[in-house]
Amino acid sequence: MIRVSVRSLFSESGVWERDYKAETRRQVEQWWHGRIQEQWQKDAADQSSRKKFYVLSMFPYPSGRLHMGHVRVYTISDTISHFQRMRGHQVLNPMGWDAFGLPAENAAIERGLDPEDWTKSNIESMRKQLDSLGLCFNWDREVTTCLPDYYKWTQYLFIKLFEAGLAYQKEALVNWDPVDQTVLADEQVDESGRSWRSGALVEQKLLKQWFIKTTNYAKPLLDALADLPEWYGVKSMQANWIGDCSGCFFNHILKVDGRDSGEVLSAYTCSPEAVFGAAYVSVLPSHRLLHGSSALKTALLRALRPGTNSLTEVTALNVFTGREVPVVISGKNEFDGHLDTVIGIPDCSEEDAELAQSLGLSWSSVLKTEEDGTQTLLNSDEFTGQSREEAFNSVTQKARERNAGGYLTSTKLRDWLISRQRYWGTPIPIVHCGACGPVPVPEEKLPVLLPKVPSLTGKGASPLKTAQDWLRCQCPRCKGPAERETDTMDTFVDSSWYYFRYTDPQNPLRPFERSQADHWMPVDVYIGGKEHAVMHLYYARFLSHFCRDQGMVSHRQQVERRNAYYGPEPVQRDTGSQLQVTWEKMSKSKHNGLDPQEVVQQYGIDTMRLYLLYAAPPEQDILWDVKSN
């Protein structure tokens, strides 16, 4: 009996074959496929009090075909999921689709199709591929970012950010991709100044754009890295991206001839404790105020003398200190990091003192050196008498309370630019009213549905501007005529919270129930590629911190552990010199993907999966060569 039972596991006939032929292999895999899926579904439906284990893998763009990079990620997640299930855990291994964005839109334009039809067709195809590979996901928790039941809640989270003062619109010099005809966040431009997706050389362009104030969370995000285990270099990459959070911005109201211009300018200082000793605010010649349509432009340009520090007739009123200082156009072409506006404090910098003296500016001395060498504050209102260390904390805290700045950040980090001038994305839920300004769409009116447009070309103005019936609307506040925002959101907004939606994917009343999110979060292991180390995980960590501050979840950290494709840079063993890598990452944009169905056809599912797990640990790359692999 035992012998027959064992044999029946490997063949339908119960008879061992001397040669393990391709047909036999297919029969074995077919015999097991349904049974494995059935057991997985049975265990997934078990809502007992077993300890949870959340396996999160990067969700794919629905390009239509999987490549071996996809299969490797999902083979690892599938293996971990089965292992943890056999250990007695209640396992969540969900799958979804990062379905908005340029790949789908560009593909639809090339083929003369509607991107929605193209995307849905690709999702169906890729879902079948995943199933054919014997991968077990919690398909009852599937999410698709381009469906209204998902992007309704992306819009909801945007409104929460807007109401918290973290989503704002301003005119800015932005990274413009001339091929994809849209702006890019800093994170989407590589070290050579090229677009991460199209490869085009990025241009600088002045546009009015939507930003999310991630700089307000820079210090908490940096500090929270210490609570995470080592992620094969991810921690150091994120720490380097955020930078040393040793200073902050203070908000200033700009004035011309004593009159409020309506412009608010944020200026940075590495010495916020000494802000009462400011002598001036300095802007670069490349600053948006000197290049845009602002009424300040004329006043500023009258003073501009390239290569020298130019004193202007514009003044800046520090909202926190209540003190007014002149605006100076710097003779420099750049400041530290990405800064374009700084506060000059002579007590803290010889260079600032020399500049102020050369322009005949006066200032208050705010630092006094005690006999023991410590410095205390003078002429600093309620902070007078405090040590510099004490004042650093108390000044920045008070500024935050007054909504005047004070959030610790670095000189290199900039806010998250989320506007995209393309069609296939989540509509930004804002209407523009001539009387009320930008007004959020009421929650009960969400989602703002993406309208159908006659045609897509990928060139010129945003396609949403052509949808006149959709564009014209009523202001939710004054009921007057208004227009909808025609920019859509960067797809990284969609993917910054999908791990939360997986915990409660059918909820029609809120993005997710707190009890469900608290049960499954934080993620126990995340599996994804190196390209997600800064962008995706940084934004996801930001949203996780924000949702915690909004009382939506208990945890700030969204991930406990990470398996990713990282490894040391290759070097020559004897000399230690760095070697040049002559292969490249599989990608649909590079058209170099290897179809897993070809591998399955030749070697079978089990052999392919075993090789993926055997060839290299998750943190290292695999060089694919169909002949040798």
Side-chain angles (χ1 to χ4, degrees):
M1 284 294 295
I2 294 177
R3 186 179 181 185
V4 172
S5 176
V6 172
R7 286 179 176 176
S8 68
L9 297 178
F10 294 96
S11 72
E12 293 176 319
S13 65
V15 177
W16 286 100
E17 294 186 18
R18 183 176 299 276
D19 297 323
Y20 191 63
K21 299 176 181 178
E23 181 58 34
T24 305
R25 183 192 68 232
R26 280 192 289 270
Q27 289 181 1
V28 169
E29 291 173 350
Q30 184 178 3
W31 190 92
W32 271 109
H33 186 271
R35 288 164 173 79
I36 294 172
Q37 295 281 350
E38 182 181 352
Q39 184 61 48
W40 176 264
Q41 296 302 326
K42 180 181 177 181
D43 287 345
D46 182 2
Q47 296 297 315
S48 63
S49 58
R50 293 177 295 160
K51 185 179 179 180
K52 69 91 180 179
F53 195 94
Y54 188 172
V55 182
L56 179 68
S57 48
M58 61 179 187
F59 64 165
Y61 289 105
S63 56
R65 301 294 296 176
L66 297 176
H67 58 61
M68 292 303 296
H70 290 120
V71 179
R72 188 186 184 201
V73 169
Y74 304 133
T75 295
I76 293 170
S77 69
D78 191 66
T79 302
I80 293 173
S81 298
H82 284 299
F83 175 70
Q84 295 297 337
R85 178 182 63 82
M86 290 188 287
R87 293 185 67 201
H89 288 113
Q90 182 187 14
V91 176
L92 176 59
N93 182 30
M95 176 51 64
W97 312 98
D98 196 4
F100 270 138
L102 285 173
E105 183 171 339
N106 288 341
I109 290 171
E110 290 172 7
R111 294 162 176 80
L113 300 173
D114 186 301
E116 181 177 6
D117 296 337
W118 167 254
T119 300
K120 288 181 176 179
S121 173
N122 288 345
I123 288 174
E124 183 179 354
S125 173
M126 293 176 72
R127 201 178 192 280
K128 290 178 180 177
Q129 281 185 293
L130 291 170
D131 185 63
S132 71
L133 295 171
L135 300 168
C136 292
F137 294 107
N138 297 88
W139 284 112
D140 59 323
R141 295 175 181 266
E142 180 180 14
V143 301
T144 305
T145 62
C146 69
L147 294 182
D149 66 353
Y150 185 91
Y151 71 73
K152 170 183 180 178
W153 301 114
T154 304
Q155 293 173 342
Y156 171 89
L157 290 171
F158 175 90
I159 290 172
K160 289 298 181 186
L161 289 162
F162 181 84
E163 292 172 345
L166 294 173
Y168 67 97
Q169 193 178 31
K170 73 172 182 180
E171 197 171 50
L173 285 169
V174 297
N175 305 310
W176 179 259
D177 185 325
V179 172
D180 281 333
Q181 293 286 299
T182 190
V183 300
L184 304 170
D186 292 334
E187 296 89 340
Q188 293 168 333
V189 181
D190 66 20
E191 294 179 353
S192 62
R194 295 185 178 276
S195 167
W196 74 302
R197 191 177 295 282
S198 73
L201 194 63
V202 170
E203 302 169 358
Q204 294 295 299
K205 195 171 185 178
L206 191 67
L207 291 173
K208 198 168 188 179
Q209 302 288 284
W210 283 96
F211 294 81
I212 294 177
K213 198 172 291 186
T214 51
T215 51
N216 280 19
Y217 278 78
K219 189 66 163 65
L221 288 170
L222 181 66
D223 292 345
L225 289 173
D227 299 329
L228 297 174
E230 184 50 54
W231 285 353
Y232 303 107
V234 175
K235 287 173 64 172
S236 61
M237 280 188 282
Q238 287 216 6
N240 181 65
W241 180 260
I242 296 170
D244 183 17
C245 297
S246 57
C248 70
F249 288 91
F250 287 101
N251 295 333
H252 297 74
I253 296 173
L254 298 185
K255 296 183 176 183
V256 181
D257 297 327
R259 294 191 298 273
D260 186 347
S261 69
E263 280 278 356
V264 176
L265 184 69
S266 292
Y268 187 86
T269 175
C270 289
S271 304
E273 73 281 3
V275 68
F276 287 86
Y280 60 88
V281 167
S282 182
V283 300
L284 290 178
S286 60
H287 195 282
R288 64 180 176 85
L289 292 176
L290 283 79
H291 298 270
S293 56
S294 169
L296 291 165
K297 178 180 177 180
T298 302
L300 291 169
L301 289 179
R302 274 201 295 266
L304 178 61
R305 292 173 177 81
T308 63
N309 296 303
S310 306
L311 181 64
T312 75
E313 61 192 71
V314 179
T315 60
L317 174 67
N318 188 308
V319 177
F320 174 65
T321 66
R323 303 190 180 190
E324 197 169 325
V325 297
V327 174
V328 172
I329 303 174
S330 177
K332 296 180 177 180
N333 290 321
E334 61 181 25
F335 296 138
D336 289 342
H338 291 311
L339 297 177
D340 61 5
T341 311
V342 297
I343 301 174
I345 305 179
D347 277 12
C348 300
S349 165
E350 289 185 10
E351 183 181 355
D352 290 356
E354 291 173 0
L355 191 155
Q357 290 170 351
S358 69
L359 295 175
L361 303 178
S362 61
W363 67 88
S364 297
S365 181
V366 293
L367 295 180
K368 175 186 178 183
T369 303
E370 305 292 347
E371 291 182 359
D372 61 1
T374 62
Q375 289 186 310
T376 56
L377 265 63
L378 296 172
N379 302 315
S380 298
D381 291 358
E382 65 194 271
F383 309 101
T384 297
Q386 293 185 4
S387 69
R388 290 191 71 174
E389 292 75 16
E390 292 171 334
F392 184 95
N393 294 324
S394 55
V395 166
T396 53
Q397 180 179 342
K398 197 72 172 182
R400 292 193 294 270
E401 292 172 358
R402 294 182 182 176
N403 197 30
Y407 290 91
L408 295 181
T409 185
S410 70
T411 61
K412 62 192 302 185
L413 188 68
R414 288 192 280 195
D415 286 337
W416 180 11
L417 170 59
I418 67 161
S419 282
R420 297 296 178 267
Q421 290 67 45
R422 298 296 292 262
Y423 168 74
W424 191 235
T426 297
I428 294 176
I430 294 289
V431 301
H432 295 279
C433 172
C436 304
V439 180
V441 174
E443 181 183 338
E444 63 272 14
K445 298 293 186 180
L446 297 178
V448 176
L449 295 173
L450 193 65
K452 294 290 186 181
V453 295
S455 63
L456 293 172
T457 64
K459 303 293 181 183
S462 168
L464 292 181
K465 292 182 178 179
T466 66
Q468 292 297 313
D469 292 340
W470 176 87
L471 182 65
R472 298 191 181 94
C473 62
Q474 186 182 69
C475 174
R477 189 171 295 164
C478 71
K479 309 306 178 185
E483 288 191 353
R484 296 192 187 279
E485 174 59 59
T486 57
D487 283 353
T488 53
M489 296 187 210
D490 177 24
T491 57
F492 282 107
V493 183
D494 305 318
S495 61
S496 66
W497 74 280
Y498 75 114
Y499 52 91
F500 280 133
R501 187 62 175 175
Y502 278 145
T503 69
D504 194 16
Q506 279 83 45
N507 195 326
L509 302 177
R510 53 184 58 88
F512 48 86
E513 189 68 48
R514 175 169 175 163
S515 60
Q516 290 296 314
D518 284 349
H519 170 71
W520 287 108
M521 298 293 292
V523 170
D524 294 279
V525 60
Y526 171 75
I527 303 161
K530 186 175 183 178
E531 66 275 15
H532 296 284
V534 170
M535 290 186 287
H536 169 61
L537 282 176
Y538 176 72
Y539 298 142
R541 292 181 63 233
F542 164 76
L543 251 294
S544 184
H545 278 240
F546 173 74
C547 287
R548 170 63 178 80
D549 289 346
Q550 291 287 306
M552 299 172 69
V553 291
S554 298
H555 303 283
R556 285 191 186 278
Q557 302 283 24
Q558 94 283 17
V559 176
E560 284 287 342
R561 194 182 317 136
R562 173 184 171 83
N563 282 10
Y565 302 159
Y566 297 93
E569 294 295 327
V571 296
Q572 208 281 335
R573 184 173 59 183
D574 296 330
T575 65
S577 60
Q578 187 171 337
L579 298 177
Q580 181 180 1
V581 180
T582 58
W583 48 278
E584 59 184 6
K585 170 180 166 289
M586 283 186 188
S587 167
K588 55 189 166 292
S589 63
K590 297 178 184 294
H591 305 288
N592 65 350
L594 175 63
D595 191 338
Q597 296 302 324
E598 297 177 11
V599 182
V600 169
Q601 184 67 28
Q602 185 173 357
Y603 298 106
I605 295 173
D606 289 343
T607 302
M608 178 184 69
R609 286 163 58 103
L610 283 170
Y611 178 79
L612 286 168
L613 298 170
Y614 153 80
E619 68 270 17
Q620 293 184 9
D621 299 287
I622 295 178
L623 173 58
W624 278 101
D625 184 333
V626 72
K627 296 179 180 179
S628 60
N629 289 347

